[in-house]
């Protein structure tokens, strides 16, 4: 059964079958090959994998992001970032990264940020004179900050998979690494803008226009504070926080800013339903695959093999990181978390590695995989938006990928970068 599970999964992936179908099909094939269990078990696992109250946070966070985009709040954020720093050398590059950091506190989805506000800022950079490949690469690299800075859909899934960490603990652990990713891209943009002499400054707006833009984006900027403050203060759970974020986005867009119209609501709801269905389908299929792994005792075998190596904690982290980097080339982030975390997290805890530190290593590692070919989801989205060949975009993103890998290495080497803030707030394991 183990051989059937692995072979079917690998063969379908190579054949180009969507990863969700590959996982579900491999689980079903292994079950049928064993012949001792009813295939109805697959249907039961599909539903039980989604039968979780915290799972409701996913569609609510997606809805909040769609309401922000539909209400043109994301456009306001892009324009504000451009007005704030677009008048210096490489200014639109800084604005691009700044917008990515800002949006990370609203959407929690790299794909949503790349497809929505990312397309807007790419167009602005292209019109200003920046090379299209540079604008696209910087946007793709900035988009992966979204799953690191809270709120984060991936962190919600991780917390459901590993009971040793909480959603709020992961949210707090992601703040410093997310800011470091943004800072690394800002420094890289400064160096490239100086080397390439990107002198495409935007006109400096008047103080009146700037203050008006600041006033309009202030409500959007308060959303991350409301989410984290409400959870930390015990006002609501992370799932309820997602619902609050959706209601808040609607109120801001409809009544405060006034850019969200009633006619847009049906389209936003349909888009949210489609995106949520895709994410939840991947999760349910991954649950089937993970169940078969457990039944076949593959996690236990892998854990024993890793423990048998006798690696120190740092050596184990490095080995796991290299393994995850390889997995990120072929697996999407969500199924990778569901499949690999139950295998690797117990090994890390047995080695004395802080669960929050290990969680950030895994999440950051797999998130970087979203901008690495051949299965980099963000690369595909930006490639479609810009009509750049995937190979051209992959080559353009290499400098950004290198600096983000440097940040990742720092997170691996210095646990305090990811554990200091949650420990300070009392979210220890």
């Amino acid at each position: 059964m183990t051989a059937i599970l692995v072979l079917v999964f690998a063969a379908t992936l190579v054949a180009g079958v969507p990863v969700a179908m590959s996982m579900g099909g491999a689980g079903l094939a292994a079950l049928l090959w064993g012949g001792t269990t009813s295939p109805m078990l697959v249907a039961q696992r599909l539903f039980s994998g989604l039968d979780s109250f915290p799972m409701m946070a996913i569609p609510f966070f997606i809805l909040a992001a769609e309401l922000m985009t539909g209400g043109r709040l994301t456009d306001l954020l892009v324009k504000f970032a451009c007005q704030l720093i677009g008048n210096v050398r490489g200014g639109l590059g800084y604005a691009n990264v700044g917008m990515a950091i800002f949006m990370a506190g609203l959407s929690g989805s790299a794909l949503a940020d790349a497809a929505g506000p990312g397309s807007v800022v790419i167009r602005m950079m292209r019109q200003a004179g920046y090379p299209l490949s540079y604008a696209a690469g910087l946007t793709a690299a900035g988009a992966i900050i979204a799953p690191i800075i809270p709120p984060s859909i991936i962190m919600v899934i991780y917390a459901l998979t590993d009971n040793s960490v909480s959603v709020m603990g992961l949210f707090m652990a992601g703040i410093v690494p997310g800011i470091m990713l943004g800072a690394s891209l800002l420094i890289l943009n400064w160096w490239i803008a100086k080397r390439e002499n990107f002198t495409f400054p935007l006109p400096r707006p008047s103080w009146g226009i700037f203050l008006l833009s600041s006033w309009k984006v202030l409500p959007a900027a308060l959303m991350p504070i409301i989410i984290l403050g409400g959870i930390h203060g015990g006002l609501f759970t992370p799932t309820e926080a997602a619902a609050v974020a959706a209601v808040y986005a609607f109120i801001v867009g409809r009544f405060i800013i006034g850019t969200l119209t009633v006619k847009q609501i049906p389209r936003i709801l349909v888009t949210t339903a489609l995106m949520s269905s895709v994410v939840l389908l991947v999760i349910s299929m991954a649950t089937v695959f993970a169940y078969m792994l457990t039944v076949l005792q593959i996690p236990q075998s892998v854990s024993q093999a890793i423990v048998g190596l006798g690696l120190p904690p740092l050596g184990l982290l490095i080995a796991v990181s290299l393994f995850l980097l390889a997995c990120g080339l072929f697996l999407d982030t969500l199924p990778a978390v569901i499949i690999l975390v139950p295998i690797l997290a117990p090994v890390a805890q047995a080695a004395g590695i802080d669960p929050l530190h290990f969680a950030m290593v895994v999440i950051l590692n797999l998130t970087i995989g979203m901008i690495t070919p051949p299965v980099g989801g963000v690369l595909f989205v930006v490639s479609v938006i810009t009509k750049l060949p995937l190979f051209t975009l992959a080559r353009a993103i290499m400098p950004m990928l290198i600096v983000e890998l440097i940040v990742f290495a720092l997170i691996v080497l210095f646990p305090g970068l990811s554990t200091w803030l949650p420990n300070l707030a009392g979210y220890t394991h």
Side-chain angles (χ1 to χ4, degrees):
M1 290 176 66
T2 302
I4 294 297
L5 182 72
V6 175
L7 287 175
V8 172
F9 179 60
T12 50
L13 274 184
V14 172
V17 176
V19 65
M21 298 299 105
S22 295
M23 291 184 294
L28 179 60
L31 197 67
L32 293 174
W33 184 268
T36 57
T37 308
S38 171
M40 284 300 297
L41 180 65
V42 173
Q44 294 172 359
R45 299 305 303 182
L46 286 174
F47 283 97
S48 65
L50 300 179
D51 187 17
S52 171
F53 178 71
M55 199 75 71
M56 293 177 63
I58 295 173
F60 279 123
F61 277 133
I62 293 175
L63 176 59
E66 286 299 311
L67 288 169
M68 285 284 186
T69 303
R72 295 178 55 199
L73 289 176
T74 53
D75 292 353
L76 293 175
L77 286 171
V78 172
K79 292 178 181 178
F80 174 72
C82 293
Q83 290 176 357
L84 184 65
I85 203 168
N87 61 311
V88 299
R89 185 200 301 268
L92 280 181
Y94 296 125
N96 190 328
V97 178
M99 181 275 302
I101 297 173
F102 230 139
M103 285 301 302
L106 303 178
S107 70
S109 169
L111 297 178
D113 283 6
S119 62
V120 176
V121 77
I122 288 174
R123 184 170 63 252
M124 293 182 68
M125 291 183 70
R126 184 60 180 149
Q127 291 173 349
Y130 289 82
L132 178 59
S133 59
Y134 179 71
L138 191 62
T139 300
I144 69 165
I145 300 175
I148 307 302
I149 293 180
S152 167
I153 294 173
I154 295 175
M155 290 181 181
V156 173
I157 301 303
Y158 191 104
L160 291 173
T161 309
D162 182 6
N163 293 327
S164 64
V165 294
S166 65
V167 173
M168 189 58 187
L170 289 175
F171 280 2
M172 299 294 285
I175 294 176
V176 173
I179 293 174
M180 289 176 64
L181 285 176
S184 69
L185 293 177
L186 290 173
I187 295 171
L188 178 67
N189 179 72
W190 170 82
W191 179 73
I192 292 180
K194 183 177 180 180
R195 186 191 66 181
E196 302 294 335
N197 195 27
F198 287 159
T199 53
F200 314 117
L202 295 179
R204 183 186 294 273
S206 65
W207 275 106
I209 294 176
F210 179 75
L211 291 176
L212 179 62
S213 299
S214 303
W215 175 254
K216 286 184 176 181
V217 302
L218 180 61
L222 292 176
M223 182 183 284
I225 299 175
I226 292 173
I227 294 173
L228 295 180
I231 298 174
H232 182 66
L235 298 178
F236 35 71
T237 66
T239 305
E240 293 165 345
V244 169
V247 173
Y248 180 79
F250 173 77
I251 293 173
V252 170
R254 183 73 182 95
F255 301 107
I256 299 179
I257 306 298
T259 53
L260 182 64
T261 64
V262 175
K263 292 181 179 179
Q264 293 175 292
I265 301 299
R267 179 185 58 81
I268 289 173
L269 292 177
V270 170
T271 303
T272 300
L274 290 174
M275 294 180 64
S276 300
S277 299
V278 171
V279 174
L280 294 175
L281 178 63
V282 171
I283 293 172
S284 62
M285 291 292 188
T287 303
V288 173
F289 191 83
Y291 174 77
M292 291 306 301
L293 289 176
T294 304
V295 169
L296 298 173
Q297 296 189 335
I298 294 177
Q300 293 86 338
S301 301
V302 174
S303 299
Q304 291 174 2
I306 295 175
V307 171
L309 297 176
L311 296 174
L314 180 58
L316 178 61
L317 275 178
I318 294 174
V320 169
S321 298
L322 294 175
F323 171 68
L324 291 175
L325 282 173
C327 291
L329 297 176
F330 305 100
L331 276 180
D332 200 6
T333 309
L334 289 179
V337 167
I338 297 173
I339 294 171
L340 298 176
V341 169
I343 299 175
L344 300 175
V347 178
Q349 293 178 33
I353 299 173
D354 188 290
L356 281 174
H357 179 217
F358 183 76
M360 283 313 305
V361 169
V362 172
I363 292 171
L364 184 54
N365 197 320
L366 294 176
T367 302
I368 289 175
M370 301 180 77
I371 56 172
T372 57
V375 192
V378 171
L379 282 187
F380 279 103
V381 169
V382 175
S383 176
V384 170
I385 291 171
T386 60
K387 296 181 173 58
L388 277 175
L390 191 63
F391 176 77
T392 302
L393 181 57
R395 185 172 55 187
I397 207 173
M398 285 306 298
M400 299 81 173
L401 180 60
I402 290 171
V403 297
E404 291 186 333
L405 286 174
I406 292 173
V407 171
F408 171 71
L410 292 174
I411 299 300
V412 172
L413 294 174
F414 301 102
L417 294 173
S418 53
T419 60
W420 169 74
L421 197 55
N423 287 342
L424 184 66
Y427 295 99
T428 60
H429 65 284

